[in-house]
Amino acid sequence: MPKIYTKKGDTGSSSTLLQCSIPKDSEVFKILGSLDLVNANLGLTNAEAKKELSADTFIFKESLPFIQGILFCIGSFIAGYSTDNFVSSIIKATEKLEEEIDIFQEKFLPPLTNFILPGGSVAASYFHLSRAEVRNLERALVTFFKKYDKITYITSEEHRCILAFINRLSDYCFCAARYVNVIQDIEETIWSSK
């Protein structure tokens, strides 16, 4: 069996498909790290939601692994691996998130008339944590795309579809957190400025 360690990164540099021996603190690795953090948070969220929700109310079985796969797809794209149907795949994934958000809002969630504090059950809290990490990722991507808007392998159309997916993902995590609390009959905590 091949060893998991290669020792190639021991000096603080690594490579992407298109770039060799670049510092590990470069912008591209910061983005890949942020994507990885969001993905790991969603894995943790999924594990906790499986524990908390009964089999008949566990609706994340397919959607969370799907989202994690899309995040991997975006990461590999940013690292230089391209596919012919990247844009259409991300657009379809964004539409899928919108459909699920609409289901949450139309079937399960009471209208939101106040700000709510992140929390509730552990799974709901993990969804809120994932949402916050997604927002960090979104900010990092905006900076990355501004700074590197001349990257030849990433077009403005690809920028837009990636940012749209990430923006929708934060909405999805927010609605999923609320859904988990509603299903478990946990009351949301309304934020008060007093």
Side-chain angles (χ1 to χ4, degrees):
M1 173 185 276
K3 294 183 178 181
I4 187 134
Y5 53 88
T6 64
K7 302 185 181 181
K8 291 178 182 176
D10 290 355
T11 59
S13 64
S14 190
S15 301
T16 67
L17 180 67
L18 301 177
Q19 296 175 290
C20 293
S21 194
I22 54 176
K24 288 187 175 182
D25 66 350
S26 70
E27 295 299 321
V28 70
F29 289 125
K30 289 177 184 176
I31 292 297
L32 296 176
S34 293
L35 281 159
D36 193 28
L37 185 57
V38 168
N39 217 331
N41 267 319
L42 288 173
L44 181 63
T45 303
N46 194 28
E48 183 59 35
K50 277 182 190 173
K51 284 195 316 191
E52 287 184 21
L53 303 177
S54 63
D56 60 332
T57 60
F58 185 68
I59 65 169
F60 305 110
K61 180 171 67 173
E62 293 178 5
S63 57
L64 288 178
F66 170 78
I67 291 166
Q68 289 182 284
I70 294 296
L71 291 170
F72 259 102
C73 182
I74 291 170
S76 66
F77 180 79
I78 287 173
Y81 297 85
S82 63
T83 57
D84 293 337
N85 60 348
F86 177 78
V87 169
S88 62
S89 295
I90 303 303
I91 290 172
K92 284 178 187 171
T94 304
E95 290 169 351
K96 181 175 170 56
L97 289 183
E98 290 170 351
E99 288 168 10
E100 295 198 20
I101 290 167
D102 291 344
I103 290 169
F104 285 138
Q105 291 192 295
E106 291 165 12
K107 292 189 175 181
F108 300 105
L109 302 180
L112 196 58
T113 56
N114 298 285
F115 288 109
I116 58 170
L117 298 180
S121 75
V122 175
S125 299
Y126 280 146
F127 269 117
H128 280 298
L129 181 61
S130 294
R131 175 191 51 78
E133 288 296 346
V134 170
R135 287 298 187 201
N136 280 336
L137 169 61
E138 182 180 31
R139 287 187 288 272
L141 280 166
V142 168
T143 300
F144 179 74
F145 290 146
K146 274 186 193 173
K147 190 171 182 180
Y148 298 99
D149 64 350
K150 301 293 187 273
I151 290 180
T152 55
Y153 68 94
I154 304 180
T155 68
S156 58
E157 182 184 24
E158 291 158 347
H159 290 191
R160 284 193 299 273
C161 76
I162 291 170
L163 288 173
F165 175 80
I166 297 301
N167 189 32
R168 214 68 76 251
L169 180 55
S170 69
D171 297 331
Y172 174 89
C173 289
F174 180 74
C175 290
R178 295 190 68 213
Y179 166 81
V180 169
N181 282 333
V182 165
I183 288 297
Q184 296 184 90
D185 202 26
I186 295 173
E187 191 173 339
E188 294 175 321
T189 303
I190 303 299
W191 173 73
S192 171
S193 60
K194 296 177 183 179

